[in-house]
Coordinates of all heavy atoms in Angstrom, one line a residue:
M1 N 104.5 110.6 114.3 CA 105.9 110.9 114.0 C 106.4 109.8 113.1 O 106.1 108.6 113.3 CB 106.7 110.9 115.3 CG 108.1 111.4 115.1 SD 109.0 111.3 116.7 CE 109.6 109.7 116.6
T2 N 107.2 110.2 112.1 CA 107.8 109.2 111.2 C 109.1 108.8 111.7 O 110.0 109.6 111.9 CB 107.9 109.8 109.8 OG1 106.6 110.1 109.3 CG2 108.5 108.7 108.8
A3 N 109.3 107.5 111.9 CA 110.6 106.9 112.3 C 110.7 105.6 111.7 O 109.7 104.9 111.5 CB 110.6 106.9 113.8
F4 N 111.9 105.2 111.5 CA 112.2 103.8 110.9 C 111.8 102.8 111.9 O 112.3 102.8 113.1 CB 113.6 103.7 110.4 CG 113.8 104.3 109.1 CD1 114.3 105.6 109.0 CD2 113.5 103.6 107.9 CE1 114.5 106.2 107.7 CE2 113.7 104.2 106.6 CZ 114.2 105.5 106.6
Q5 N 111.0 101.8 111.5 CA 110.6 100.7 112.4 C 111.2 99.4 111.8 O 111.1 99.2 110.5 CB 109.1 100.5 112.4 CG 108.3 101.8 112.6 CD 108.2 102.1 114.1 OE1 108.2 101.2 114.9 NE2 108.1 103.4 114.4
P6 N 111.7 98.5 112.6 CA 112.2 97.2 112.0 C 111.0 96.3 111.5 O 109.9 96.3 112.2 CB 112.9 96.5 113.2 CG 112.4 97.2 114.4 CD 111.9 98.6 114.0
A7 N 111.1 95.7 110.4 CA 110.1 94.9 109.8 C 110.4 93.4 110.0 O 109.7 92.7 110.7 CB 109.9 95.3 108.3
F8 N 111.4 93.0 109.3 CA 111.8 91.6 109.4 C 113.2 91.4 108.7 O 113.6 92.4 108.0 CB 110.8 90.6 108.8 CG 110.4 91.0 107.4 CD1 111.2 90.7 106.3 CD2 109.2 91.7 107.2 CE1 110.7 91.1 105.0 CE2 108.8 92.0 105.9 CZ 109.5 91.7 104.8
P9 N 113.9 90.3 109.0 CA 115.3 90.1 108.4 C 115.2 90.2 106.9 O 114.4 89.5 106.3 CB 115.7 88.8 108.9 CG 114.9 88.6 110.2 CD 113.6 89.2 109.9
D10 N 116.2 90.8 106.3 CA 116.3 90.9 104.9 C 116.4 89.5 104.2 O 115.8 89.3 103.1 CB 117.6 91.7 104.6 CG 117.8 91.9 103.1 OD1 116.9 92.3 102.4 OD2 118.9 91.6 102.6
A11 N 117.0 88.6 104.9 CA 117.2 87.2 104.3 C 115.8 86.5 104.1 O 115.7 85.5 103.3 CB 118.1 86.4 105.2
E12 N 114.7 87.0 104.7 CA 113.4 86.3 104.6 C 112.7 86.8 103.3 O 111.6 86.2 103.1 CB 112.6 86.6 105.8 CG 113.2 86.0 107.1 CD 112.4 86.3 108.3 OE1 111.3 86.8 108.2 OE2 112.9 85.9 109.4
L13 N 113.2 87.7 102.6 CA 112.4 88.2 101.4 C 113.3 88.0 100.2 O 114.3 88.6 100.0 CB 112.2 89.7 101.6 CG 111.2 90.3 100.6 CD1 109.8 89.8 100.7 CD2 111.2 91.9 100.7
G14 N 112.8 87.1 99.3 CA 113.5 86.8 98.1 C 113.2 87.9 97.0 O 112.4 88.8 97.2
N15 N 113.9 87.7 95.9 CA 113.6 88.7 94.8 C 112.2 88.5 94.2 O 111.8 87.4 94.0 CB 114.7 88.6 93.8 CG 114.8 89.8 92.9 OD1 114.4 90.9 93.3 ND2 115.2 89.6 91.6
N16 N 111.6 89.6 93.9 CA 110.2 89.6 93.3 C 109.2 88.9 94.2 O 108.3 88.3 93.8 CB 110.2 88.9 91.9 CG 111.0 89.7 90.9 OD1 111.1 91.0 91.0 ND2 111.7 89.1 90.0
E17 N 109.4 89.1 95.5 CA 108.5 88.6 96.5 C 108.0 89.8 97.3 O 108.6 90.9 97.4 CB 109.2 87.6 97.5 CG 109.5 86.3 96.8 CD 110.1 85.3 97.8 OE1 110.4 85.7 99.0 OE2 110.4 84.2 97.4
S18 N 106.9 89.6 98.0 CA 106.3 90.6 98.9 C 105.9 90.0 100.2 O 105.5 88.8 100.3 CB 105.1 91.3 98.2 OG 104.1 90.4 98.0
R19 N 105.9 90.8 101.3 CA 105.5 90.3 102.6 C 104.8 91.4 103.4 O 105.4 92.5 103.4 CB 106.7 89.8 103.3 CG 106.4 89.3 104.7 CD 107.5 88.5 105.3 NE 107.4 88.4 106.7 CZ 108.3 87.9 107.5 NH1 109.4 87.4 107.0 NH2 108.1 87.8 108.8
A20 N 103.7 91.1 103.9 CA 103.0 92.2 104.7 C 103.5 92.2 106.1 O 103.8 91.2 106.7 CB 101.5 91.9 104.7
V21 N 103.4 93.4 106.7 CA 103.8 93.5 108.1 C 103.0 94.7 108.7 O 102.7 95.7 108.0 CB 105.3 93.7 108.2 CG1 105.8 95.0 107.5 CG2 105.8 93.8 109.7
T22 N 102.6 94.6 109.9 CA 101.9 95.7 110.6 C 102.9 96.5 111.4 O 103.6 96.0 112.2 CB 100.8 95.2 111.5 OG1 99.9 94.4 110.7 CG2 100.0 96.4 112.2
L23 N 103.0 97.8 111.0 CA 103.9 98.7 111.7 C 103.2 100.0 112.1 O 102.5 100.6 111.2 CB 105.1 99.1 110.8 CG 106.0 98.0 110.3 CD1 107.0 98.4 109.2 CD2 106.8 97.4 111.5
N24 N 103.2 100.4 113.3 CA 102.5 101.6 113.8 C 101.0 101.5 113.4 O 100.4 102.5 113.1 CB 103.1 102.8 113.2 CG 104.0 103.5 114.2 OD1 104.2 103.0 115.3 ND2 104.6 104.6 113.7
G25 N 100.5 100.3 113.4 CA 99.1 100.1 113.2 C 98.7 100.2 111.7 O 97.5 100.1 111.4
R26 N 99.7 100.2 110.8 CA 99.4 100.3 109.4 C 99.8 99.0 108.7 O 100.8 98.4 109.1 CB 100.1 101.5 108.7 CG 99.7 102.8 109.3 CD 100.3 103.9 108.5 NE 99.6 104.1 107.2 CZ 99.7 105.3 106.5 NH1 100.4 106.3 107.0 NH2 99.1 105.4 105.4
N27 N 99.0 98.6 107.8 CA 99.3 97.3 107.0 C 100.2 97.7 105.8 O 99.8 98.3 104.9 CB 98.0 96.8 106.5 CG 98.1 95.4 105.9 OD1 99.2 94.9 105.8 ND2 97.0 94.8 105.6
I28 N 101.5 97.3 106.0 CA 102.5 97.7 105.0 C 103.0 96.5 104.2 O 103.1 95.4 104.8 CB 103.8 98.3 105.8 CG1 103.3 99.4 106.7 CG2 104.8 98.7 104.8 CD1 102.9 100.7 106.1
L29 N 103.2 96.7 103.0 CA 103.7 95.6 102.1 C 105.2 96.0 101.7 O 105.4 97.0 101.1 CB 102.9 95.5 100.9 CG 103.2 94.2 100.0 CD1 102.8 93.0 100.8 CD2 102.5 94.3 98.7
V30 N 106.1 95.1 102.1 CA 107.5 95.3 101.8 C 107.7 94.4 100.5 O 107.3 93.2 100.5 CB 108.4 94.9 102.9 CG1 109.9 95.0 102.5 CG2 108.1 95.7 104.2
C31 N 108.3 94.9 99.5 CA 108.6 94.2 98.3 C 110.0 94.3 97.9 O 110.7 95.3 98.1 CB 107.8 94.8 97.1 SG 106.0 94.9 97.4
R32 N 110.5 93.2 97.3 CA 111.8 93.3 96.6 C 111.5 93.1 95.1 O 111.1 92.0 94.8 CB 112.8 92.3 97.1 CG 114.1 92.3 96.4 CD 115.2 91.5 97.0 NE 115.9 92.2 98.0 CZ 115.9 91.8 99.3 NH1 115.3 90.8 99.7 NH2 116.6 92.5 100.2
A33 N 111.8 94.1 94.3 CA 111.5 94.1 92.9 C 112.7 94.4 92.1 O 113.3 95.5 92.3 CB 110.4 95.1 92.6
A34 N 113.2 93.5 91.3 CA 114.4 93.6 90.5 C 115.5 94.0 91.4 O 116.4 94.8 91.1 CB 114.2 94.7 89.4
G35 N 115.5 93.4 92.6 CA 116.7 93.6 93.5 C 116.5 94.7 94.5 O 117.3 94.8 95.5
D36 N 115.6 95.6 94.2 CA 115.4 96.8 95.1 C 114.3 96.7 96.1 O 113.3 96.0 95.7 CB 115.2 98.1 94.2 CG 116.4 98.5 93.4 OD1 117.6 98.3 94.0 OD2 116.3 98.9 92.3
L37 N 114.4 97.3 97.2 CA 113.4 97.2 98.2 C 112.4 98.4 98.1 O 112.8 99.5 97.9 CB 114.0 97.3 99.6 CG 114.7 96.0 100.1 CD1 115.5 96.3 101.4 CD2 113.8 94.8 100.3
Y38 N 111.1 98.1 98.3 CA 110.1 99.1 98.3 C 109.1 98.8 99.5 O 108.9 97.7 99.9 CB 109.3 99.1 97.0 CG 110.1 99.4 95.8 CD1 110.7 98.3 95.1 CD2 110.4 100.7 95.4 CE1 111.5 98.5 94.0 CE2 111.2 100.9 94.3 CZ 111.7 99.8 93.6 OH 112.5 100.0 92.5
A39 N 108.4 99.8 99.9 CA 107.3 99.6 100.9 C 106.1 100.5 100.5 O 106.3 101.7 100.2 CB 107.8 100.0 102.3
V40 N 105.0 99.8 100.5 CA 103.7 100.5 100.1 C 102.6 100.1 101.0 O 102.7 99.1 101.7 CB 103.3 100.2 98.6 CG1 104.4 100.7 97.6 CG2 103.0 98.7 98.4
E41 N 101.5 100.8 101.0 CA 100.3 100.4 101.7 C 99.8 99.1 101.1 O 99.7 99.0 99.9 CB 99.2 101.5 101.6 CG 98.1 101.4 102.5 CD 98.2 102.3 103.7 OE1 98.5 103.5 103.4 OE2 98.1 101.9 104.8
N42 N 99.5 98.1 102.0 CA 99.0 96.8 101.5 C 97.5 96.8 101.3 O 96.8 96.0 101.9 CB 99.5 95.7 102.5 CG 99.1 94.4 102.0 OD1 99.0 94.1 100.8 ND2 98.9 93.4 103.0
R43 N 97.0 97.8 100.5 CA 95.6 97.9 100.3 C 95.4 98.6 98.9 O 95.7 99.7 98.8 CB 94.9 98.7 101.4 CG 93.4 98.6 101.3 CD 92.7 99.4 102.5 NE 93.1 100.8 102.5 CZ 93.5 101.4 103.6 NH1 93.6 100.9 104.7 NH2 93.9 102.7 103.5
C44 N 94.9 97.8 98.0 CA 94.6 98.3 96.7 C 93.6 99.5 96.8 O 92.7 99.5 97.5 CB 94.0 97.2 95.8 SG 93.7 97.7 94.1
T45 N 93.9 100.5 96.0 CA 93.1 101.7 96.0 C 91.8 101.5 95.1 O 91.0 102.4 94.9 CB 93.8 103.0 95.5 OG1 94.3 102.7 94.2 CG2 95.0 103.2 96.4
H46 N 91.7 100.3 94.5 CA 90.4 100.1 93.7 C 89.4 99.6 94.6 O 88.4 100.3 94.9 CB 90.7 99.1 92.6 CG 89.5 98.7 91.8 ND1 89.2 97.4 91.5 CD2 88.5 99.4 91.3 CE1 88.1 97.3 90.8 NE2 87.6 98.6 90.7
Q47 N 89.5 98.3 95.1 CA 88.5 97.8 96.1 C 89.1 97.2 97.3 O 88.6 96.2 97.9 CB 87.5 96.8 95.3 CG 86.6 97.5 94.4 CD 85.7 96.6 93.7 OE1 85.7 95.4 93.9 NE2 84.8 97.1 92.8
E48 N 90.2 97.7 97.7 CA 90.8 97.4 99.0 C 91.4 96.0 99.2 O 91.5 95.6 100.3 CB 89.9 97.8 100.1 CG 89.5 99.3 100.1 CD 88.8 99.8 101.3 OE1 88.5 98.9 102.2 OE2 88.6 101.0 101.4
A49 N 91.6 95.3 98.1 CA 92.2 94.0 98.3 C 93.6 94.1 98.8 O 94.3 95.2 98.5 CB 92.3 93.3 96.9
E50 N 94.1 93.1 99.5 CA 95.5 93.1 99.9 C 96.4 92.8 98.7 O 96.0 91.9 97.9 CB 95.7 92.2 101.1 CG 95.0 92.6 102.3 CD 95.5 92.0 103.6 OE1 96.3 91.0 103.5 OE2 95.2 92.5 104.7
L51 N 97.5 93.5 98.6 CA 98.4 93.3 97.5 C 99.4 92.2 97.7 O 100.2 91.8 96.8 CB 99.1 94.6 97.2 CG 98.1 95.7 96.7 CD1 98.9 97.0 96.7 CD2 97.5 95.4 95.4
E52 N 99.5 91.7 98.9 CA 100.6 90.7 99.2 C 100.4 89.5 98.3 O 99.3 89.0 98.0 CB 100.4 90.2 100.7 CG 101.6 89.3 101.1 CD 101.5 88.9 102.5 OE1 100.4 88.8 103.1 OE2 102.6 88.6 103.1
G53 N 101.6 89.1 97.7 CA 101.6 87.9 96.8 C 101.3 88.3 95.4 O 101.3 87.5 94.5
G54 N 100.9 89.6 95.1 CA 100.7 90.0 93.8 C 101.9 89.8 92.9 O 103.0 89.9 93.4
R55 N 101.7 89.6 91.6 CA 102.9 89.3 90.7 C 103.7 90.6 90.6 O 103.2 91.7 90.3 CB 102.3 88.9 89.4 CG 103.4 88.4 88.5 CD 102.7 87.8 87.3 NE 102.9 88.7 86.1 CZ 103.0 88.3 84.9 NH1 102.9 87.0 84.6 NH2 103.2 89.1 83.9
I56 N 105.0 90.4 90.8 CA 105.9 91.5 90.6 C 106.7 91.4 89.4 O 107.3 90.3 89.1 CB 106.9 91.6 91.9 CG1 106.1 92.0 93.1 CG2 108.0 92.6 91.6 CD1 106.9 92.0 94.4
R57 N 106.7 92.4 88.5 CA 107.5 92.4 87.3 C 108.1 93.8 87.2 O 107.4 94.8 87.2 CB 106.6 92.1 86.1 CG 106.2 90.7 85.9 CD 107.3 89.7 85.6 NE 106.8 88.4 85.5 CZ 106.6 87.5 86.5 NH1 106.9 87.9 87.7 NH2 106.2 86.3 86.3
G58 N 109.4 93.8 87.0 CA 110.1 95.1 87.0 C 109.9 95.8 88.3 O 110.0 95.2 89.4
C59 N 109.4 97.0 88.3 CA 109.1 97.7 89.5 C 107.6 97.9 89.7 O 107.2 98.9 90.4 CB 109.9 99.1 89.6 SG 109.5 100.1 88.2
F60 N 106.9 96.9 89.2 CA 105.4 97.0 89.3 C 104.9 95.8 90.0 O 105.4 94.7 89.9 CB 104.7 97.0 87.9 CG 105.0 98.3 87.1 CD1 106.1 98.4 86.4 CD2 104.1 99.4 87.2 CE1 106.4 99.6 85.7 CE2 104.4 100.5 86.6 CZ 105.5 100.6 85.8
I61 N 103.8 96.0 90.8 CA 103.1 94.9 91.5 C 101.7 94.9 90.9 O 101.1 96.0 90.8 CB 103.1 94.9 93.0 CG1 102.5 93.7 93.6 CG2 102.4 96.2 93.5 CD1 102.8 93.5 95.1
S62 N 101.1 93.7 90.6 CA 99.8 93.6 90.2 C 98.9 93.2 91.3 O 99.2 92.3 92.1 CB 99.7 92.5 89.1 OG 100.5 92.9 88.0
C63 N 97.7 93.9 91.4 CA 96.7 93.5 92.5 C 96.2 92.1 92.1 O 95.8 91.8 91.0 CB 95.6 94.5 92.5 SG 94.3 94.0 93.6
P64 N 96.2 91.2 93.1 CA 95.7 89.8 92.9 C 94.2 89.8 92.5 O 93.8 88.8 91.9 CB 95.9 89.1 94.2 CG 96.9 89.9 94.9 CD 96.7 91.3 94.5
L65 N 93.4 90.8 92.8 CA 92.0 90.7 92.6 C 91.6 91.1 91.2 O 91.0 90.3 90.5 CB 91.2 91.6 93.6 CG 89.8 91.4 93.8 CD1 89.5 89.9 94.0 CD2 89.2 92.2 94.9
H66 N 91.9 92.3 90.7 CA 91.5 92.7 89.3 C 92.7 93.1 88.5 O 92.5 93.5 87.3 CB 90.5 93.8 89.4 CG 89.3 93.6 90.3 ND1 89.1 94.3 91.4 CD2 88.3 92.7 90.2 CE1 88.0 93.9 92.0 NE2 87.5 92.9 91.3
G67 N 93.9 93.0 89.0 CA 95.1 93.1 88.2 C 95.6 94.5 87.9 O 96.5 94.7 87.1
V68 N 95.1 95.5 88.6 CA 95.7 96.8 88.5 C 97.2 96.8 88.8 O 97.5 96.1 89.8 CB 95.0 97.9 89.4 CG1 95.8 99.2 89.4 CG2 93.6 98.2 88.9
R69 N 98.0 97.4 88.0 CA 99.4 97.4 88.3 C 99.8 98.7 88.9 O 99.3 99.8 88.5 CB 100.2 97.3 87.0 CG 100.2 95.8 86.4 CD 101.3 95.6 85.4 NE 101.3 96.7 84.4 CZ 102.4 97.0 83.7 NH1 103.6 96.5 84.0 NH2 102.3 97.9 82.8
F70 N 100.6 98.7 90.0 CA 101.0 99.9 90.7 C 102.5 99.9 90.5 O 103.3 98.9 90.7 CB 100.7 99.8 92.1 CG 99.2 99.9 92.4 CD1 98.4 98.7 92.5 CD2 98.6 101.1 92.6 CE1 97.1 98.8 92.8 CE2 97.2 101.2 92.9 CZ 96.5 100.1 93.0
D71 N 103.0 101.1 90.3 CA 104.5 101.4 90.3 C 105.0 101.5 91.7 O 104.5 102.4 92.5 CB 104.7 102.7 89.5 CG 106.2 103.0 89.2 OD1 107.0 102.5 90.1 OD2 106.5 103.6 88.2
L72 N 105.8 100.6 92.1 CA 106.3 100.5 93.5 C 107.1 101.8 93.9 O 107.3 102.1 95.0 CB 107.1 99.3 93.7 CG 106.3 98.0 93.7 CD1 107.2 96.8 93.6 CD2 105.4 97.9 94.9
R73 N 107.6 102.5 92.9 CA 108.5 103.6 93.2 C 107.7 104.8 93.7 O 108.1 105.5 94.6 CB 109.3 104.1 91.9 CG 110.2 103.0 91.5 CD 110.8 103.3 90.1 NE 109.7 103.3 89.1 CZ 110.0 103.4 87.8 NH1 111.2 103.6 87.3 NH2 109.0 103.4 86.9
D74 N 106.5 105.0 93.1 CA 105.7 106.2 93.6 C 104.2 105.8 93.9 O 103.5 106.7 94.2 CB 105.7 107.3 92.5 CG 105.3 106.8 91.1 OD1 104.7 105.7 91.0 OD2 105.6 107.5 90.1
G75 N 103.9 104.6 93.7 CA 102.5 104.1 94.1 C 101.5 104.4 93.0 O 100.3 104.0 93.2
N76 N 101.9 104.9 91.9 CA 100.9 105.3 90.9 C 100.3 104.1 90.1 O 101.1 103.2 89.8 CB 101.5 106.3 89.8 CG 101.6 107.7 90.4 OD1 100.7 108.1 91.1 ND2 102.7 108.4 90.0
P77 N 99.0 104.1 89.9 CA 98.4 103.0 89.2 C 98.4 103.1 87.7 O 98.5 104.3 87.2 CB 96.9 103.0 89.7 CG 96.7 104.5 90.0 CD 98.0 105.0 90.4
M78 N 98.3 102.0 87.0 CA 98.2 102.0 85.5 C 96.7 101.6 85.2 O 96.1 100.9 85.9 CB 99.1 101.0 84.9 CG 100.5 101.0 85.5 SD 101.6 102.2 84.7 CE 101.7 101.5 83.1
G79 N 96.2 102.1 84.1 CA 94.9 101.7 83.6 C 93.8 102.5 84.2 O 94.0 103.6 84.8
Q80 N 92.6 102.0 84.0 CA 91.4 102.8 84.3 C 90.6 102.5 85.6 O 89.8 103.3 86.0 CB 90.4 102.6 83.1 CG 90.9 102.8 81.7 CD 91.3 104.3 81.6 OE1 90.6 105.2 82.0 NE2 92.5 104.5 81.0
L81 N 91.0 101.4 86.3 CA 90.1 101.0 87.4 C 90.3 102.0 88.6 O 89.3 102.2 89.4 CB 90.5 99.6 87.9 CG 90.0 98.5 86.9 CD1 90.3 97.1 87.4 CD2 88.5 98.6 86.5
T82 N 91.4 102.5 88.8 CA 91.7 103.5 89.9 C 92.7 104.5 89.4 O 93.6 104.2 88.7 CB 92.1 102.8 91.2 OG1 92.4 103.9 92.2 CG2 93.3 102.0 91.0
R83 N 92.6 105.7 89.9 CA 93.6 106.7 89.6 C 94.3 107.2 90.9 O 95.1 108.1 90.9 CB 92.9 108.0 89.0 CG 92.4 107.6 87.6 CD 92.0 108.9 86.8 NE 91.4 108.5 85.5 CZ 92.1 108.1 84.5 NH1 93.4 108.0 84.6 NH2 91.5 107.8 83.4
V84 N 93.9 106.5 92.0 CA 94.5 106.9 93.3 C 95.7 106.1 93.6 O 95.7 104.9 93.6 CB 93.4 106.6 94.5 CG1 94.0 107.0 95.8 CG2 92.1 107.3 94.2
P85 N 96.9 106.8 93.9 CA 98.1 106.1 94.1 C 98.1 105.4 95.5 O 97.4 105.8 96.4 CB 99.2 107.2 94.1 CG 98.4 108.4 94.3 CD 97.0 108.3 93.9
L86 N 98.9 104.4 95.6 CA 99.2 103.8 96.9 C 100.1 104.7 97.7 O 101.0 105.4 97.1 CB 100.0 102.5 96.8 CG 99.4 101.3 96.0 CD1 100.4 100.2 95.8 CD2 98.2 100.8 96.7
S87 N 99.9 104.7 99.1 CA 100.9 105.4 99.9 C 102.2 104.7 99.8 O 102.2 103.4 99.7 CB 100.5 105.5 101.3 OG 99.3 106.2 101.5
T88 N 103.3 105.4 99.8 CA 104.7 104.7 99.7 C 105.4 105.2 101.0 O 105.2 106.2 101.5 CB 105.4 105.1 98.5 OG1 105.6 106.5 98.4 CG2 104.7 104.6 97.2
F89 N 106.4 104.4 101.3 CA 107.2 104.6 102.6 C 108.6 104.4 102.3 O 109.0 103.5 101.4 CB 106.7 103.7 103.7 CG 105.3 103.7 104.0 CD1 104.4 102.8 103.3 CD2 104.7 104.6 104.9 CE1 103.0 102.9 103.5 CE2 103.4 104.7 105.1 CZ 102.5 103.8 104.4
E90 N 109.5 105.2 102.9 CA 110.9 105.0 102.8 C 111.3 103.6 103.5 O 110.7 103.2 104.5 CB 111.7 106.1 103.6 CG 111.8 107.3 102.8 CD 112.7 108.3 103.6 OE1 114.0 108.1 103.5 OE2 112.2 109.2 104.2
V91 N 112.2 103.0 102.8 CA 112.7 101.7 103.4 C 114.2 101.6 103.3 O 114.8 102.3 102.5 CB 112.0 100.5 102.5 CG1 112.4 100.6 101.1 CG2 112.4 99.2 103.1
R92 N 114.8 101.0 104.3 CA 116.3 100.9 104.3 C 116.7 99.6 105.0 O 115.8 98.9 105.6 CB 116.9 102.1 105.1 CG 116.6 102.0 106.6 CD 117.2 103.2 107.4 NE 117.0 103.0 108.8 CZ 117.3 103.9 109.7 NH1 117.7 105.1 109.3 NH2 117.1 103.7 111.0
L93 N 117.9 99.2 104.9 CA 118.5 98.1 105.5 C 119.4 98.5 106.7 O 120.2 99.4 106.5 CB 119.4 97.3 104.5 CG 118.7 96.2 103.7 CD1 119.7 95.6 102.7 CD2 118.0 95.2 104.5
A94 N 119.3 97.9 107.8 CA 120.1 98.2 108.9 C 120.5 96.9 109.6 O 119.7 96.2 110.2 CB 119.4 99.1 109.9
D95 N 121.8 96.6 109.5 CA 122.3 95.3 110.1 C 121.5 94.1 109.7 O 121.2 93.3 110.5 CB 122.4 95.4 111.6 CG 123.4 96.4 112.1 OD1 124.4 96.6 111.4 OD2 123.2 97.0 113.2
G96 N 121.2 94.0 108.4 CA 120.5 92.8 107.9 C 119.0 92.8 108.1 O 118.3 91.8 107.9
V97 N 118.5 93.9 108.7 CA 117.0 94.0 109.0 C 116.4 95.1 108.1 O 117.0 96.2 108.0 CB 116.8 94.3 110.4 CG1 115.3 94.5 110.7 CG2 117.3 93.1 111.3
I98 N 115.3 94.8 107.5 CA 114.6 95.8 106.7 C 113.8 96.7 107.6 O 113.1 96.2 108.5 CB 113.6 95.1 105.7 CG1 114.4 94.2 104.7 CG2 112.7 96.1 105.0 CD1 113.5 93.3 103.8
E99 N 114.0 98.0 107.4 CA 113.3 99.0 108.3 C 112.4 99.9 107.4 O 112.8 100.2 106.2 CB 114.2 99.8 109.1 CG 115.1 99.0 110.1 CD 115.9 99.9 110.9 OE1 116.3 101.0 110.5 OE2 116.3 99.4 112.0
V100 N 111.3 100.3 107.9 CA 110.3 101.1 107.1 C 110.0 102.3 107.9 O 109.8 102.2 109.1 CB 109.0 100.3 106.8 CG1 108.1 101.2 105.9 CG2 109.3 99.0 106.1
A101 N 110.0 103.5 107.2 CA 109.6 104.7 107.9 C 108.1 104.9 107.8 O 107.6 105.1 106.8 CB 110.3 105.9 107.2
V102 N 107.5 104.7 109.0 CA 106.0 104.8 109.0 C 105.6 105.9 110.0 O 106.1 105.9 111.1 CB 105.4 103.4 109.5 CG1 103.9 103.5 109.5 CG2 105.9 102.3 108.6
Ligands
FES1 S1 90.8 95.5 94.2 FE1 92.8 95.7 93.3 S2 92.4 95.9 91.2 FE2 90.4 95.7 92.1

């Protein structure tokens, strides 16, 4: 069942930062990119590297291992290394806490 789960306080995530959190047994990466919140699977679809800490520019995050860029809005990758999108999740703010629908 998909339901919003609390992740962590909004104040703990700066702009253009990412933080991993386990929700419902899934490794989720919450990102703030250009001021907006996104949540994606924290596992690159190329060779399964964790994306936490990857460079965020605009609404894209770069995988720290080989640099594939993923669009945080829909999970779609750029370039040739992988064509498989990341799973994406709805995210919202509730009383200062980031919540993700997992
Ligand atoms: S594991 Fe992410 S680009 Fe290769």
Side-chain angles (χ1 to χ4, degrees):
M1 192 182 86
T2 300
F4 279 94
Q5 312 274 332
F8 49 81
D10 180 49
E12 295 181 8
L13 190 68
N15 197 27
N16 296 327
E17 290 182 357
S18 60
R19 179 166 161 189
V21 61
T22 301
L23 296 172
N24 261 0
R26 298 187 76 161
N27 188 356
I28 306 293
L29 189 68
V30 180
C31 303
R32 176 172 278 116
D36 291 324
L37 288 170
Y38 301 93
V40 298
E41 193 101 47
N42 185 26
R43 189 177 60 227
C44 183
T45 61
H46 176 227
Q47 289 182 357
E48 303 194 351
E50 296 201 343
L51 296 170
E52 187 177 27
R55 191 171 106 147
I56 294 175
R57 289 290 180 276
C59 55
F60 293 87
I61 188 167
S62 300
C63 176
L65 195 52
H66 308 112
V68 167
R69 287 196 309 152
F70 292 92
D71 189 328
L72 291 165
R73 296 169 295 185
D74 55 15
N76 281 324
M78 316 275 290
Q80 304 299 318
L81 291 183
T82 175
R83 297 193 181 282
V84 180
L86 300 171
S87 296
T88 60
F89 304 91
E90 278 187 77
V91 59
R92 71 180 184 188
L93 273 179
D95 291 332
V97 174
I98 297 171
E99 296 185 339
V100 182
V102 182

